[in-house]
Amino acid sequence: MKAEIIAVGTELLLGQIANTNARFVSEQLALAGVGVYFHTVVGDNRGRLLSVLQTARQRSDLVILCGGLGPTEDDLTRETVAEFLGRPLELHPEALRAVEGYFSGLGRDMPENNRRQAMVIQGGNMIPNPRGTAPGQYVEAEGRRYVLLPGPPTELEPMVRESVIPLVQTWMGGNETIRSRVLRLYGIGESHLAERIADLLAAQDNPTLAPLAAEGEVTLRLTARAASEKEAWERIAPLEAELRRRLGRYIYGVDEETLEVAVGRVLQARGMTVATAESCTGGLLGEMITNVPGSSRYFVGGVISYSNDVKKAVLGVSGEILERLGAVSEPVAIQMAQGVAEHLGADWGIGITGIAGPDGGTETKPVGLVYIAVHHRNADSWVKEFRFRGDRRQVRIRAAKAALFALWRKLGAMDEGLSPAER
């Protein structure tokens, strides 16, 4: 099955929002064994969308359109697809009840123009959207399938997981499947990674092996084609085992397991808690941790100690050290980690202090200098100096990720019995 994704919205062309939907849908389709061959972005323009649909019909079996299902006049995806297929739009009773129910749940009457969101292309089927006012729909024509989804990712993503992917798997029947395993690594750069697996990259066939740099980390995607899911995983297993043999100390998770998920999983399994003390990251680390559902089981809280006064009054950082060495120093990071763990009663404390920029750097303490400390109440504190490159946003993200990885390594070191140097 050949698929393509059409993202509809002038705001995408203007760069006002990023086209994250295409990435997400492609990823989910790949996991389901569907190859995505084309991405297209088109503005809210009937003529141009008709042209894009004409091209898609000539080359793809599955066309997924994202966006343009709202209640306003410039939301024209459903009307244009209906025109393209030569079919009328019909009011779908179930879709209408869903839209009315959404507004009823808010305690409001449904505006009349929202009725158009309950219109379905003749012969089509509704895709439920319990998180918004725009139900999706799919329709088959001339042996091709067209799937229409709303644009907001908070609505689109669960609809893809809960409804679209099961439909796609039904449509595929017993055809060839594609399965992918993503290994997530931290602490090694893309170029060094490529050197370590150069022979594997050169010899790849089925499965394929693709490194991809992310913000402050690297992923490896292993993808296999086979007649069945079982056979695909059997093809992937030996390659994954070899990669783990070579790179195991850097691999923290698989597939969608981010650093914050990996750390939370281990903390929860051990019944441990963590607290954070942040300066230059300004609460970003705490946000990452609490993005994980259930994080209240192991995250007790955090202190954003942006000023020296807060570092002293709340975290107990020594005023003498602040005066002599400055806020951006190893001892301050250690005392921040120790202070927040003690003050909030956590097993682990993390302290981050640094210079995110673009201003504030000096020759001896340049922008990007960050100290990260990890403290356990029954062990010595660990601290490390980092020199991050990038703009303010990148420095903050990389510092938060480095802190999470440091905690992840320390959690592993507890069981592995590693020496302080190995940790």
Side-chain angles (χ1 to χ4, degrees):
M1 179 181 286
K2 295 181 179 179
E4 73 176 87
I5 299 166
I6 300 173
V8 183
T10 303
E11 66 276 10
L12 296 168
L13 295 173
L14 294 175
Q16 294 173 338
I17 63 171
N19 186 16
T20 59
N21 287 337
R23 178 201 60 78
F24 175 80
V25 176
S26 287
E27 182 180 59
Q28 296 301 309
L29 289 175
L31 292 173
V34 177
V36 176
Y37 289 79
F38 303 97
H39 283 188
T40 303
V41 178
V42 61
D44 300 304
N45 181 280
R46 169 187 162 280
R48 288 193 284 271
L49 180 52
L50 285 171
S51 176
V52 168
L53 287 166
Q54 181 61 43
T55 301
R57 177 165 59 185
Q58 297 169 4
R59 63 191 185 189
S60 300
D61 308 304
L62 173 63
V63 180
I64 297 183
L65 298 100
C66 308
L69 299 184
T72 61
E73 291 299 322
D74 63 342
D75 293 306
L76 43 73
T77 298
R78 73 176 70 79
E79 289 80 4
T80 306
V81 175
E83 178 183 348
F84 173 73
L85 297 178
R87 300 185 183 183
L89 286 166
E90 300 175 338
L91 186 66
H92 193 289
E94 184 181 353
L96 181 60
R97 286 194 295 272
V99 178
E100 290 174 336
Y102 179 87
F103 282 97
S104 176
L106 297 175
R108 294 158 48 190
D109 294 330
M110 184 189 77
E112 185 61 27
N113 61 354
N114 282 94
R115 287 179 64 87
R116 65 185 304 198
Q117 294 183 293
M119 303 297 287
V120 173
I121 299 167
Q122 187 180 67
N125 297 273
M126 186 190 81
I127 299 175
N129 176 14
R131 298 162 183 85
T133 64
Q137 58 182 285
Y138 65 93
V139 61
E140 183 173 355
E142 300 177 339
R144 295 167 180 80
R145 293 181 173 91
Y146 300 84
V147 177
L148 284 63
L149 297 170
T154 53
E155 300 175 26
L156 176 142
E157 292 181 8
M159 291 172 71
V160 169
R161 288 195 184 99
E162 296 164 8
S163 299
V164 176
I165 294 303
L167 282 170
V168 169
Q169 291 170 334
T170 300
W171 296 335
M172 289 181 63
N175 296 334
E176 182 182 65
T177 188
I178 302 174
R179 285 294 179 270
S180 292
R181 163 60 45 81
V182 176
L183 301 180
R184 296 181 174 270
L185 298 88
Y186 190 93
I188 184 171
E190 187 178 17
S191 57
H192 287 98
L193 172 65
E195 287 178 358
R196 294 198 182 195
I197 60 172
D199 57 320
L200 301 178
L201 290 169
Q204 64 176 300
D205 179 24
N206 185 15
T208 58
L209 177 61
L212 177 66
E215 187 59 69
E217 54 185 291
V218 184
T219 61
L220 283 170
R221 182 180 292 276
L222 295 67
T223 304
R225 293 177 177 271
S228 67
E229 180 178 348
K230 180 175 181 292
E231 182 183 344
W233 289 122
E234 288 173 348
R235 287 179 178 270
I236 287 173
L239 179 57
E240 180 179 352
E242 177 61 18
L243 289 167
R244 288 185 177 277
R245 186 186 70 79
R246 299 187 190 189
L247 305 164
R249 68 190 304 265
Y250 302 107
I251 299 172
Y252 70 81
V254 299
D255 299 332
E256 297 182 6
E257 187 177 41
T258 60
L259 268 170
E260 52 266 39
V261 171
V263 167
R265 173 176 51 78
V266 179
L267 285 170
Q268 186 169 343
R270 297 180 183 176
M272 291 180 167
T273 57
V274 65
T276 58
E278 303 181 60
S279 184
C280 63
T281 47
L284 180 60
L285 175 59
E287 179 187 359
M288 291 171 66
I289 293 172
T290 55
N291 276 339
V292 180
S295 54
S296 60
R297 299 185 183 96
Y298 50 84
F299 181 61
V300 298
V303 175
I304 303 175
S305 53
Y306 217 61
S307 73
N308 286 351
D309 288 341
V310 174
K311 290 181 178 68
K312 290 185 291 185
V314 178
L315 299 175
V317 175
S318 164
E320 186 273 331
I321 288 178
L322 285 167
E323 181 69 25
R324 179 166 51 88
L325 299 178
V328 183
S329 60
E330 281 192 6
V332 170
I334 291 172
Q335 291 189 4
M336 289 171 64
Q338 293 172 339
V340 78
E342 180 179 352
H343 188 67
L344 299 185
D347 298 301
W348 294 90
I350 299 176
I352 305 176
T353 181
I355 306 170
D359 303 318
T362 66
E363 185 175 342
T364 56
K365 293 187 177 182
V367 169
L369 174 65
V370 177
Y371 291 97
I372 296 173
V374 177
H375 170 75
H376 186 266
R377 59 185 178 184
N378 295 324
D380 293 334
S381 298
W382 172 97
V383 65
K384 184 175 179 180
E385 176 186 297
F386 293 84
R387 301 280 179 126
F388 296 115
R389 292 181 176 268
D391 60 20
R392 182 179 180 84
R393 173 180 172 275
Q394 290 173 308
V395 170
R396 294 176 67 239
I397 291 174
R398 291 170 182 179
K401 286 189 174 184
L404 283 168
F405 187 69
L407 177 57
W408 184 81
R409 290 293 302 274
K410 293 292 288 184
L411 286 164
M414 292 183 66
D415 280 353
E416 294 168 11
L418 301 181
S419 68
E422 292 174 310
R423 298 178 191 182

Coordinates of all heavy atoms in Angstrom, one line a residue, residues 1 125-128 137-138 145 147 159-173:
M1 N 0.8 -1.2 0.0 CA 0.0 0.0 0.0 C 0.9 1.2 0.0 O 1.8 1.4 0.9 CB -0.9 0.0 1.2 CG -1.8 1.2 1.3 SD -2.9 1.2 2.8 CE -4.1 0.0 2.3
N125 N -17.6 7.3 5.8 CA -17.9 6.9 7.2 C -17.2 7.8 8.1 O -16.1 8.4 7.9 CB -17.3 5.5 7.4 CG -17.9 4.4 6.6 OD1 -18.9 3.8 6.9 ND2 -17.3 4.1 5.4
M126 N -17.8 8.0 9.3 CA -17.3 9.0 10.3 C -16.2 8.3 11.1 O -16.2 7.1 11.4 CB -18.4 9.4 11.2 CG -18.0 10.5 12.2 SD -19.3 10.8 13.5 CE -18.9 9.5 14.6
I127 N -15.2 9.1 11.5 CA -14.2 8.8 12.4 C -14.4 9.6 13.7 O -14.3 10.8 13.6 CB -12.8 9.0 11.9 CG1 -12.5 8.2 10.6 CG2 -11.7 8.7 12.9 CD1 -11.2 8.5 9.9
P128 N -14.7 9.0 14.8 CA -15.0 9.7 16.0 C -13.9 10.6 16.5 O -12.7 10.3 16.3 CB -15.3 8.6 17.1 CG -15.6 7.4 16.3 CD -14.8 7.5 15.0
Q137 N -13.4 11.5 8.8 CA -14.2 10.6 7.9 C -13.2 10.0 6.9 O -12.1 10.4 6.7 CB -15.3 11.4 7.2 CG -14.8 12.5 6.3 CD -16.0 13.3 5.7 OE1 -16.6 12.8 4.7 NE2 -16.3 14.5 6.2
Y138 N -13.7 8.8 6.3 CA -12.9 8.2 5.3 C -13.9 7.7 4.2 O -15.1 7.4 4.5 CB -12.1 7.0 5.8 CG -12.9 5.9 6.4 CD1 -13.2 4.8 5.6 CD2 -13.3 5.9 7.7 CE1 -13.9 3.7 6.2 CE2 -14.0 4.8 8.3 CZ -14.3 3.7 7.5 OH -15.0 2.7 8.0
R145 N -8.4 5.1 -1.1 CA -9.1 5.5 0.2 C -8.5 6.9 0.6 O -7.3 7.2 0.5 CB -8.8 4.5 1.3 CG -9.5 3.1 1.0 CD -9.2 2.2 2.2 NE -10.0 0.9 2.0 CZ -9.6 -0.1 1.4 NH1 -8.3 -0.1 0.8 NH2 -10.3 -1.2 1.3
V147 N -8.7 9.6 3.7 CA -9.0 9.8 5.1 C -8.8 11.3 5.5 O -7.8 11.9 5.1 CB -8.0 9.0 6.0 CG1 -8.3 9.3 7.5 CG2 -8.2 7.5 5.7
M159 N -6.9 10.1 17.4 CA -7.7 9.5 16.3 C -7.0 8.6 15.4 O -7.5 7.5 15.0 CB -8.3 10.7 15.5 CG -9.4 11.5 16.2 SD -9.9 13.0 15.3 CE -10.9 12.2 14.0
V160 N -5.7 8.9 15.1 CA -4.9 8.0 14.3 C -4.6 6.7 15.1 O -4.8 5.6 14.5 CB -3.6 8.7 14.0 CG1 -2.6 7.7 13.3 CG2 -3.8 9.9 13.0
R161 N -4.3 6.8 16.3 CA -4.0 5.6 17.1 C -5.2 4.7 17.3 O -5.1 3.5 17.1 CB -3.4 6.0 18.5 CG -2.0 6.6 18.5 CD -1.4 6.6 19.9 NE -0.1 7.2 20.0 CZ 0.1 8.4 20.3 NH1 -0.9 9.2 20.7 NH2 1.3 8.9 20.4
E162 N -6.3 5.4 17.7 CA -7.5 4.6 18.1 C -8.4 4.2 16.9 O -9.0 3.1 17.0 CB -8.3 5.5 19.0 CG -7.6 5.8 20.3 CD -8.2 7.0 21.1 OE1 -9.3 7.4 20.7 OE2 -7.6 7.4 22.1
S163 N -8.4 4.9 15.8 CA -9.3 4.6 14.7 C -8.6 4.3 13.4 O -8.9 3.4 12.7 CB -10.3 5.7 14.6 OG -11.1 5.9 15.7
V164 N -7.7 5.2 13.0 CA -7.1 5.1 11.6 C -6.2 3.9 11.5 O -6.4 3.1 10.5 CB -6.4 6.4 11.3 CG1 -5.7 6.3 9.9 CG2 -7.3 7.6 11.3
I165 N -5.3 3.7 12.4 CA -4.4 2.6 12.3 C -5.2 1.2 12.3 O -4.9 0.3 11.4 CB -3.3 2.6 13.3 CG1 -2.4 3.8 13.1 CG2 -2.5 1.3 13.3 CD1 -1.8 3.9 11.8
P166 N -6.1 1.0 13.1 CA -6.9 -0.3 13.0 C -7.6 -0.4 11.7 O -7.7 -1.5 11.1 CB -7.9 -0.1 14.2 CG -7.3 0.7 15.2 CD -6.5 1.7 14.4
L167 N -8.1 0.7 11.1 CA -8.7 0.6 9.8 C -7.7 0.2 8.7 O -7.9 -0.6 7.9 CB -9.3 2.0 9.4 CG -10.7 2.3 10.0 CD1 -11.0 3.8 9.8 CD2 -11.8 1.5 9.4
V168 N -6.5 0.9 8.8 CA -5.5 0.6 7.8 C -5.1 -0.9 7.9 O -4.9 -1.5 6.9 CB -4.3 1.5 8.1 CG1 -3.1 1.0 7.2 CG2 -4.6 2.9 7.7
Q169 N -4.9 -1.4 9.1 CA -4.6 -2.8 9.2 C -5.6 -3.7 8.6 O -5.3 -4.8 8.0 CB -4.3 -3.1 10.7 CG -3.1 -2.4 11.3 CD -3.0 -2.6 12.8 OE1 -4.0 -2.7 13.5 NE2 -1.8 -2.5 13.3
T170 N -6.9 -3.4 8.7 CA -7.9 -4.1 8.1 C -7.8 -4.1 6.6 O -8.0 -5.1 5.9 CB -9.3 -3.6 8.6 OG1 -9.4 -3.7 10.0 CG2 -10.4 -4.4 7.9
W171 N -7.6 -2.9 6.1 CA -7.4 -2.7 4.6 C -6.3 -3.5 4.0 O -6.3 -4.0 2.9 CB -7.3 -1.2 4.3 CG -8.5 -0.4 4.7 CD1 -9.8 -0.8 4.8 CD2 -8.5 1.0 5.0 NE1 -10.6 0.2 5.2 CE2 -9.8 1.4 5.3 CE3 -7.5 2.0 5.0 CZ2 -10.2 2.7 5.6 CZ3 -7.9 3.3 5.3 CH2 -9.2 3.6 5.6
M172 N -5.2 -3.6 4.8 CA -4.0 -4.3 4.3 C -4.2 -5.8 4.2 O -3.5 -6.4 3.4 CB -2.8 -4.0 5.2 CG -2.3 -2.5 5.1 SD -0.9 -2.3 6.2 CE 0.3 -3.4 5.4
G173 N -5.0 -6.3 5.0 CA -5.2 -7.8 5.0 C -3.9 -8.5 5.3 O -3.2 -8.2 6.2

